[in-house]
Each structure stands twice: as structure tokens, then as C-alpha cells.
Amino acid sequence: MDGLRRRQKAVLEACGRTPNGKVAYIDIKQFYPSITPAMARKAWRDYCARHSIPDLYKSLGFKLYNYALETSGKSILTGPMFSHFLANLVLETVDHWSDSLPVSYMRYVDDLTLVGKEASVRQSIELIRGKLAEAGLQLHGLNSQKTLWVSCADWVESAADFQQGEHAIAWMKLIGDVKKLLLFRPET
């Protein structure tokens, strides 16, 4: 939730810079299943080279990457933390490239959020679509149920939805307590 809250704060700030603009949430199609072992291997190798990762850890990363065999070698698994790390590495070049867009760009996993004037947002989506295609990834279409458009004004109105208030903390505690009860006293 921390990453999601940081993105929401960045969207709020971007809406403040473009009060008459649009917010577009777009999703990468079949994100994890689209990340091939070759893409993951290259991203890991490049990361290790840039950060002088010792061979022991580099080889561990390549071994962890082997769990793609669980998907018949077609993609990385969805779920394990190392998959999230690899997915972020795969999108790292897109994230850096996004600085050249005429809109504010934020990403949380495979969800992209763009804020700006509507024409600039639409133009940026097409540019991103092309950049992702170069990487072997696809965006959902503009009319997809996974694409959401709202005005900056509407977004600002609902900005507090992700803040942890007293009720949110109580709700999380309740869920945690129910999990503990089911785990330690399943007969109950």
C-alpha cells in the first residue's frame, strides 16, 4: 500500500499542476505472463552489471529466474517478490524514457497513470504503446474496462480515499485478527 499511496500523492500533485486536465489509468495486458524468461534474464543481467552485483548473488538471481519453468518456460511467475523486482527492471527503461512525455507519468506495477491536458494524455498513450511494443508488451485499448478516464477535478475530490484513517487501521486489524483466528484455531 505504501507504493500505491506514493503514486496517489504524485497524481494529486500532478492534478494540482493541471487543474483542467485529465487523469488516465491504463493497464499493460497480461503483464506478468508477457514477461518472457529471456526478457527477465536480460533485465537481471543489465541490472547486475550496472550495480556491480557480486557473482554469487548474480547467479542466485539466475537460479530464481529458473522458476519460470513452472510456466513451461513461457513467462515468469506472478506473485513471488523476485518476479515483482524483475518486472520493475523490465519496465525501468520505459520509466526513464517517460520523462520525455508531455504529461506526468506514474506507474504502480503494470498500471500506468498519466495526468495532463487530454490531447497530451492521448498522444502520450500512443507513444507509450509504441515503446511497450518494442519491449514485447501491449497496453489495453482506450475503450477497455481496464482503462479509466477522470477529470483532475474529480480525481482531487476522491484523493483522500487512500489515506489511512482510523477506520482503515481498525479494518486492517480486524482482517489480521480473523486470519490469526483461522490459522491458530481452525476448529472455531
Side-chain angles (χ1 to χ4, degrees):
M1 286 300 288
D2 288 337
L4 185 57
R5 277 192 216 94
R6 280 193 302 274
R7 180 190 63 174
Q8 296 304 89
K9 182 180 178 194
V11 173
L12 179 61
E13 291 168 2
C15 285
R17 292 188 301 270
T18 316
N20 295 321
K22 290 284 188 181
V23 178
Y25 290 91
I26 52 180
D27 183 74
I28 299 173
K29 277 186 186 180
Q30 296 288 308
F31 181 54
Y32 285 99
S34 297
I35 299 175
T36 65
M39 290 165 67
R41 187 183 248 334
K42 180 185 181 321
W44 176 244
R45 185 178 51 244
D46 292 350
Y47 176 82
C48 289
R50 280 193 318 274
H51 297 282
S52 303
I53 302 296
D55 287 342
L56 173 67
Y57 300 115
K58 187 186 323 182
S59 65
L60 177 61
F62 285 125
K63 286 188 181 12
L64 291 172
Y65 143 95
N66 287 340
Y67 61 75
L69 298 175
E70 295 295 322
T71 66
S72 303
K74 294 177 186 167
S75 66
I76 63 173
L77 289 177
T78 304
M81 284 305 298
F82 195 66
S83 291
H84 301 309
F85 184 68
L86 289 173
N88 279 329
L89 294 179
V90 166
L91 289 176
E92 191 174 48
T93 57
V94 175
D95 293 341
H96 292 303
W97 166 85
S98 72
D99 291 340
S100 67
L101 295 172
V103 297
S104 296
Y105 165 98
M106 285 74 56
R107 180 177 64 82
Y108 183 75
V109 189
D110 62 338
D111 297 320
L112 310 177
T113 307
L114 306 177
V115 180
K117 295 186 184 297
E118 184 172 354
S120 297
V121 170
R122 288 184 182 278
Q123 173 194 16
S124 295
I125 290 171
E126 293 313 311
L127 293 170
I128 291 169
R129 188 179 308 285
K131 189 70 171 173
L132 288 174
E134 291 172 15
L137 301 168
Q138 295 180 340
L139 281 180
H140 281 277
L142 294 181
N143 296 325
S144 166
Q145 290 180 336
K146 295 214 172 195
T147 301
L148 174 67
W149 289 86
V150 295
S151 70
C152 285
D154 287 342
W155 195 93
V156 167
E157 190 174 309
S158 65
D161 291 352
F162 286 89
Q163 292 177 356
Q164 276 188 300
E166 192 176 302
H167 296 294
I169 293 168
W171 177 252
M172 288 188 292
K173 184 175 176 355
L174 172 66
I175 296 299
D177 289 345
V178 169
K179 284 181 178 180
K180 288 177 200 167
L181 179 68
L182 293 173
L183 181 64
F184 297 116
R185 306 214 38 207
E187 70 281 355
T188 316

